Amino acid sequence: MEVLLDYSWPGNVRQLESAIERAILLCEGDKVCRADLPEEVLSRKTPGRSGDRQRGDKYEIPSEGFNFETFERDAILQALERNDG
């Protein structure tokens, strides 16, 4: 809870909601752990600021945009693959 309260949430409610949903999907058991939270929340970095970006960051949006449903499906499939289903 402390980590969540310490982060500035530049994406407001949507970013918080996404972080919580991700943590719930990744957690093992019935409690969300610190390790289940996104890296930018743990490191208190604000995504998208040039000084914080590192090679390989996944915050780039293609110029043609993206389909959220496809993005969500791909993220879930990746999580399933990484955890053997």
Side-chain angles (χ1 to χ4, degrees):
M1 185 60 89
E2 184 178 322
V3 173
L4 295 174
L5 292 172
D6 284 346
Y7 189 65
S8 65
W9 300 106
N12 297 320
V13 175
R14 288 184 182 177
Q15 184 186 16
L16 173 61
E17 182 180 57
S18 176
I20 297 298
E21 286 176 354
R22 176 189 182 278
I24 290 169
L25 288 172
L26 294 177
C27 75
E28 295 179 12
D30 59 351
K31 290 186 181 182
V32 171
C33 299
R34 180 183 206 100
D36 300 324
L37 297 172
E39 181 59 38
E40 71 267 10
V41 174
L42 295 173
S43 65
R44 297 188 186 132
K45 288 184 180 178
T46 303
R49 293 193 343 212
S50 59
D52 293 338
R53 294 195 142 214
Q54 296 177 5
R55 187 173 176 212
D57 276 352
K58 297 192 169 48
Y59 300 110
E60 295 273 335
I61 296 175
S63 59
E64 69 276 2
F66 71 94
N67 179 308
F68 182 75
E69 290 173 0
T70 302
F71 172 79
E72 184 177 35
R73 185 193 76 233
D74 291 347
I76 291 169
L77 290 172
Q78 273 185 17
L80 289 169
E81 287 176 14
R82 289 181 184 172
N83 293 289
D84 298 323

